[in-house]
Amino acid sequence: MALLRMASNCYPCILDRAKFECDLVFSDEDEKKAAVEELLDYMACHKGGVSALVGTEREKIIKKRSGNPDPYRGLKEESNQVAKDLLPMAEDFYEKADDKVVALIRIAAAANSMEFGVKGHDFNNSTFAGVFRDTLREELHGDIDEVKRRLKCFSKIFYLTDNCGEAVFDLFVIEKFGKMGKQVVVGSKSEPILNDVTRAELSAMTEMDIRVIATGNVVGTSLEHIEPEARALLFDPEWLILSKGMGNFETISEYDGLLKGRLIYIMRAKCEPVSMVIGAPKGTLVAKSI
């Protein structure tokens, strides 16, 4: 698959999200301006990089300048509550589905809609309940038969999470995989970044006996920043990698040829550069094997 480096669309998107985050943590306009200008200086010196890692630097700048280690904390808590309220709808969808595996893929993909501050992607905690049922039934792009085949063939799944809120549904999906006889290990962030769920947050969200390991402290899953335990699972040929979200796609696409035959991307393709590389219309749900 083609590498997903900074496209022309990425620069305004990263800046838009910086403004969104600055509004979360700063009340003073000069502080917002200084943070955005520092990011601009960084971007000018790092043209053509991986967009997720440029986004990681944005997070570092805003955390450092604000003294806030978790700018999305309030939105994450709100998202988790929204997801918990919607979980019975997902459970009903699953129970009524003729194909349980496809239902789980749909739930995992639909949940990836829960993302803030992405240019062109309209998401709001307060309105998601009204569209979630329809979201579960949207067209799902990708090679679904091959995705199903891999989920049947592999007994071990390394499940790379993405956002809070979404993670509530991920735990439901993981529980069902467990009941199908799968061994699942979950990889989540080692510390807060964006609205991604951390290892500590995910562990606190469930009473399941599930192994949760830290993947790193950057947007996505970068080999330069990955934790050793996660790296070992990533390259163990016995494990199927189920990768959630665009940040993971942006970073893993740098080396996904090394994971060929045991990698599945699941996401909503929220931006044009991602949709073009993965081969699905912008804004659609995707489940694609590599």
Side-chain angles (χ1 to χ4, degrees):
M1 184 168 288
L3 301 185
L4 212 154
R5 299 299 180 101
M6 292 283 286
S8 60
N9 319 55
C10 297
Y11 294 96
C13 183
I14 286 173
L15 289 170
D16 270 11
R17 191 153 192 170
K19 177 61 167 67
F20 176 84
E21 294 176 8
C22 283
D23 287 343
L24 289 177
V25 296
F26 298 119
S27 57
D28 183 77
E29 176 61 25
D30 287 341
E31 291 179 321
K32 295 177 185 181
K33 181 181 175 183
V36 172
E37 287 177 345
E38 183 176 347
L39 175 59
L40 277 168
D41 289 342
Y42 178 87
M43 292 169 69
C45 297
H46 294 81
K47 301 183 183 77
V50 178
S51 53
L53 299 182
V54 177
T56 296
E57 187 62 27
R58 175 196 59 220
E59 302 308 299
K60 291 179 179 178
I61 290 169
I62 291 174
K63 287 180 182 181
K64 175 191 68 177
R65 286 185 168 273
S66 67
N68 185 336
D70 191 3
Y72 285 84
R73 181 176 179 180
L75 287 174
K76 291 195 296 183
E77 292 173 351
E78 187 179 277
S79 295
N80 285 339
Q81 187 56 57
V82 168
K84 289 174 185 176
D85 292 341
L86 291 175
L87 193 56
M89 192 182 297
E91 292 172 335
D92 181 67
F93 178 79
Y94 174 79
E95 293 300 330
K96 291 179 178 177
D98 294 328
D99 191 321
K100 302 300 188 189
V101 173
V102 171
L104 293 177
I105 296 167
R106 284 188 166 279
I107 291 167
N112 190 241
S113 303
M114 303 187 79
E115 180 70 88
F116 302 96
V118 176
K119 187 177 178 66
H121 174 62
D122 183 21
F123 172 75
N124 189 302
N125 277 330
S126 64
T127 59
F128 190 53
V131 300
F132 183 60
R133 190 180 300 277
D134 290 337
T135 302
L136 288 169
R137 291 170 170 79
E138 285 183 32
E139 183 177 357
L140 186 60
H141 293 263
D143 46 351
I144 309 307
D145 287 341
E146 176 60 17
V147 169
K148 287 172 60 179
R149 188 192 71 80
R150 292 186 188 185
L151 284 167
K152 180 179 179 180
C153 291
F154 281 84
S155 61
K156 299 178 180 179
I157 301 173
F158 187 26
Y159 195 110
L160 300 175
T161 59
D162 192 12
N163 306 316
C164 278
E166 173 183 358
V168 172
F169 298 105
D170 289 329
L171 287 169
F172 172 80
V173 171
I174 289 163
E175 180 184 22
K176 297 304 180 186
F177 280 150
K179 290 181 178 179
M180 293 176 181
K182 307 296 183 184
Q183 179 185 348
V184 184
V185 172
V186 183
S188 299
K189 294 294 179 286
S190 54
E191 62 184 58
I193 188 158
L194 295 175
N195 58 319
D196 290 4
V197 66
T198 67
R199 176 188 182 186
E201 288 168 340
L202 192 77
S203 297
M205 288 164 58
T206 181
E207 295 181 355
M208 284 192 294
D209 182 16
I210 185 170
R211 182 180 168 201
V212 184
I213 64 174
T215 54
N217 61 355
V218 301
V219 177
T221 305
S222 165
L223 288 186
E224 295 178 3
H225 304 91
I226 195 170
E227 299 286 347
E229 189 177 17
R231 185 188 183 102
L233 280 185
L234 199 64
F235 288 102
D236 187 327
E238 293 187 1
W239 290 82
L240 177 69
I241 313 302
L242 202 160
S243 168
K244 293 292 301 289
M246 294 201 308
N248 280 327
F249 174 69
E250 290 167 14
T251 46
I252 294 175
S253 63
E254 292 278 299
Y255 56 89
D256 63 10
L258 302 175
L259 308 176
K260 193 172 179 62
R262 56 185 190 87
L263 172 63
I264 299 170
Y265 290 119
I266 296 182
M267 73 183 85
R268 183 180 286 283
K270 306 178 189 80
C271 72
E272 186 177 353
V274 166
S275 68
M276 289 178 65
V277 172
I278 207 163
K282 179 187 171 185
T284 57
L285 303 182
V286 177
K288 185 176 180 64
S289 62
I290 298 297

